[in-house]
């Protein structure tokens, strides 16, 4: 931004009082537009201009258009510091006055935060659309906060891991459940060299894991929205870890499935941590409480959204077929169904319809014979348990399934 723009920004109520006390002059930086090398890509990946669909380099284009008789562009960057904890206030105040803001992190010139020595493994290959969304995030030598939208199965986790590796600072990952926390840890260990030197630098914070770390070193901490956003009293060990999280200076916060966290919980997760850059990952930028606009100033704008039909045509994700099978209700069940006044009993009768079960069993047997993996979902726990245990002798997961059993079942499903 130039001087005039910042002067206008400081006229907005809520921005001027957030400025660091004692500052009267703007800070001046050089406009460094270096291309960021992304591991796992060919020749370090595409640049910001190419990701935007433009050819050439911005610096070269400007120099070519600046003739002897044309005024020279002021290519310096002006800035002013704001107080810690006032970022959300400034972004919201600017948004209300139609003054869009972007949050960028000059991580390459950050000499005060410990570096995270981590590389992607040789087999980690970034796909073209992943490369494009990372180029949108790492434009002109800085890390831009925002949201990346990729369909299920398109590799959002690898994008987040690559972003963490590129910034190379302490990273906090916030996931939806304890199972997702465990999966993120496994993915970091699978795709990167984070633990190759024997140090355990990937730390989980969950109901079963509460391990402290050396705050003088860069680490990766993975927690759930529930653990970070809990508003009540915590047990001693959990509160100690939360104090570490609040005090730690995070280079990057990755917010997985950013659309699902409850508004208050999400706001608490973001406001109680101090980070230089925020990356939201989701498959659908839709919230049930209609608070998508809040995500834009709490996290940042949408940086990239992939077209799932294009990825499907290119073979990156599976082709989806949605087929509805209507099952005639057994006469005895249907007669009882008509006589029942209780909605709960009527629901149970049509869910336990023998005809529907026969069709389900046939489909399971058919796909098992083909060697396919099969998932069966049900809204009713009794139906799920009956299908799984009594008739099909399969493993199942429900609300009361323990964390350990969930992990064992999911691991078995992936490996078998």
């Amino acid at each position: 931004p130039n001087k005039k723009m910042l002067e206008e920004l400081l006229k907005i109520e809520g921005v001027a009082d957030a400025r660091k006390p004692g500052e009267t002059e703007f800070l001046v930086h050089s406009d460094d537009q270096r291309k960021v090398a992304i591991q796992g890509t060919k020749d370090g990946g595409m640049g910001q201009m190419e990701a935007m669909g433009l050819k050439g380099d911005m610096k070269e284009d400007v120099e070519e258009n600046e003739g002897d008789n044309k005024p020279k562009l002021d290519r310096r960057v002006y800035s002013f510091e704001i107080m810690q904890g006032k970022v959300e206030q400034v972004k919201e105040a600017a948004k209300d006055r139609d003054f869009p803001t972007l949050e960028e992190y000059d991580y390459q010139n950050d000499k005060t935060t410990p570096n995270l020595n981590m590389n992607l493994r040789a087999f980690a290959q970034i796909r073209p659309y992943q490369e494009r969304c990372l180029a949108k995030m790492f434009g002109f030598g800085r890390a831009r906060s925002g949201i990346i939208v990729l369909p299920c199965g398109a590799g959002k986790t690898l994008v987040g891991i690559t972003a963490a590796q590129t910034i190379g600072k302490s990273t906090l990952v916030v996931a939806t459940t304890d199972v997702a926390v465990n999966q993120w840890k496994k993915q970091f260990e699978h795709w990167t060299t984070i633990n190759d030197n024997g140090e355990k630098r990937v730390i989980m914070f969950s109901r079963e894991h509460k391990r402290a770390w050396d705050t003088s070193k860069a680490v990766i901490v993975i927690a759930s929205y529930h653990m970070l956003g809990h508003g009540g009293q915590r047990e001693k060990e959990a509160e100690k870890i939360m104090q570490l999280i609040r005090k730690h200076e995070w280079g990057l916060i990755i917010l997985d499935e950013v659309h699902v966290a409850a508004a208050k919980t999400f706001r608490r997760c973001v406001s109680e941590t101090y980070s230089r850059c925020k990356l939201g990952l989701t498959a659908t930028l839709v919230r049930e409480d209609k608070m998508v606009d809040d995500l834009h100033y709490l996290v940042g704008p949408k940086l990239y959204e992939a077209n799932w039909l294009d990825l499907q045509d290119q073979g990156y994700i599976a082709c989806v077929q949605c087929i509805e099978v209507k099952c005639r209700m057994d006469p005895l069940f249907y007669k009882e169904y008509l006589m029942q006044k209780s909605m709960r009993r009527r629901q149970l009768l049509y869910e336990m319809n023998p005809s529907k079960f026969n069709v389900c069993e046939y489909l399971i047997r058919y796909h098992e014979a083909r060697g396919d993996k099969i998932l069966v979902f049900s809204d009713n726990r009794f139906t799920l348990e009956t299908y799984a245990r009594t008739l099909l002798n399969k493993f199942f997961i429900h609300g009361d399934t323990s964390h350990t059993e969930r992990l064992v079942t999911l691991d078995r499903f992936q490996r078998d």
Side-chain angles (χ1 to χ4, degrees), residues 329-338 348-350 352-354:
M329 203 167 191
D330 181 89
L332 293 176
F333 273 65
Y334 187 54
K335 181 180 178 181
E336 192 67 27
Y337 172 83
L338 294 174
L348 191 59
L349 283 164
Y350 70 68
M352 295 302 297
N353 176 17

Side-chain angles (χ1 to χ4, degrees), residues 2-209:
N2 55 40
K3 273 187 178 181
K4 191 173 181 180
M5 187 183 296
L6 293 186
E7 287 167 356
E8 290 296 320
L9 182 64
L10 283 168
K11 293 177 183 178
I12 300 174
E13 185 179 353
V15 177
D17 60 349
R19 190 174 186 178
K20 191 175 179 180
E23 269 202 0
T24 56
E25 300 294 328
F26 293 130
L27 304 173
V28 184
H29 316 272
S30 62
D31 186 12
D32 191 354
Q33 297 182 357
R34 289 174 293 171
K35 175 183 173 182
V36 176
I38 305 294
Q39 290 190 10
T41 60
K42 184 179 179 181
D43 299 327
M46 66 179 70
Q48 170 79 353
M49 301 302 292
E50 188 180 349
M52 294 167 62
L54 303 173
K55 293 183 179 180
D57 180 74
M58 181 176 280
K59 264 186 177 175
E60 294 175 0
D61 293 343
V62 170
E63 288 169 2
E64 286 177 5
N65 292 327
E66 288 181 350
D68 293 336
N69 298 325
K70 295 180 180 179
K72 294 286 185 180
L73 291 178
D74 185 355
R75 301 191 57 77
R76 292 172 295 178
V77 176
Y78 296 86
S79 66
F80 62 88
E81 287 190 65
I82 60 175
M83 291 179 283
Q84 184 175 337
K86 296 284 188 178
V87 175
E88 184 180 331
Q89 173 185 312
V90 170
K91 291 171 77 173
E92 188 171 5
K95 171 180 169 286
D96 291 342
R97 292 284 297 272
D98 295 324
F99 205 116
T101 58
L102 285 174
E103 195 173 347
E104 293 185 343
Y105 173 31
D106 188 11
Y107 64 96
Q108 296 185 86
N109 293 319
D110 181 4
K111 308 301 181 185
T112 61
T113 311
N115 291 324
L116 182 69
N117 296 318
M118 173 179 73
N119 292 301
L120 293 186
R121 298 193 186 277
F123 56 76
Q125 297 297 314
I126 304 301
R127 294 171 175 175
Y129 61 89
Q130 295 171 321
E131 182 180 332
R132 188 172 294 276
C133 64
L134 286 164
K136 291 285 188 73
M137 179 182 178
F138 293 98
F140 309 131
R142 296 181 289 272
R144 181 174 295 167
S145 293
I147 298 170
I148 291 174
V149 185
L150 292 175
C152 296
K156 292 188 292 293
T157 303
L158 182 55
V159 168
I161 290 171
T162 306
Q165 186 280 323
T166 304
I167 290 176
K169 304 292 182 180
S170 287
T171 300
L172 175 64
V173 181
V174 192
T176 51
T177 63
D178 285 353
V179 172
V181 168
N182 189 275
Q183 290 174 337
W184 267 96
K185 178 179 181 292
K186 286 185 176 181
Q187 290 297 299
F188 264 104
E189 293 170 343
H190 173 73
W191 291 111
T192 74
T193 60
I194 183 68
N195 285 339
D196 282 7
N197 61 359
E199 292 185 46
K200 293 184 178 180
R201 292 182 293 164
V202 182
I203 298 163
M204 294 191 294
F205 177 39
S206 64
R207 285 173 292 183
E208 298 181 359
H209 300 88

Side-chain angles (χ1 to χ4, degrees), residues 177-309:
T177 63
D178 285 353
V179 172
V181 168
N182 189 275
Q183 290 174 337
W184 267 96
K185 178 179 181 292
K186 286 185 176 181
Q187 290 297 299
F188 264 104
E189 293 170 343
H190 173 73
W191 291 111
T192 74
T193 60
I194 183 68
N195 285 339
D196 282 7
N197 61 359
E199 292 185 46
K200 293 184 178 180
R201 292 182 293 164
V202 182
I203 298 163
M204 294 191 294
F205 177 39
S206 64
R207 285 173 292 183
E208 298 181 359
H209 300 88
K210 302 177 186 70
R211 180 169 68 88
W213 63 89
D214 184 353
T215 55
S216 66
K217 296 182 179 179
V219 294
I220 294 169
V221 175
I222 310 169
S224 67
Y225 287 104
H226 175 73
M227 290 298 290
L228 286 188
H230 179 64
Q233 189 174 0
R234 298 176 183 269
E235 60 181 47
K236 271 189 176 182
E237 289 184 4
E239 184 57 35
K240 286 180 180 178
I241 302 301
M242 274 307 303
Q243 289 298 331
L244 289 176
I245 290 174
R246 292 187 190 105
K247 292 177 182 177
H248 202 99
E249 188 171 324
W250 304 100
L252 173 66
I253 290 185
I254 298 174
L255 300 154
D256 191 23
E257 304 297 353
V258 71
H259 67 286
V260 302
K264 289 183 179 179
T265 302
F266 180 80
R267 189 180 291 269
R268 198 177 293 118
C269 290
V270 174
S271 62
E272 289 201 1
T273 54
Y274 175 57
S275 64
R276 302 295 186 89
C277 181
K278 303 179 189 72
L279 173 61
L281 299 173
T282 182
T284 171
L285 198 54
V286 177
R287 283 185 64 97
E288 293 182 1
D289 55 9
K290 310 296 183 184
M291 296 186 72
V292 172
D293 287 345
D294 280 9
L295 293 179
H296 292 160
Y297 72 80
L298 287 172
V299 182
K302 181 173 68 176
L303 301 175
Y304 180 81
E305 181 172 6
N307 186 316
W308 68 272
L309 287 174

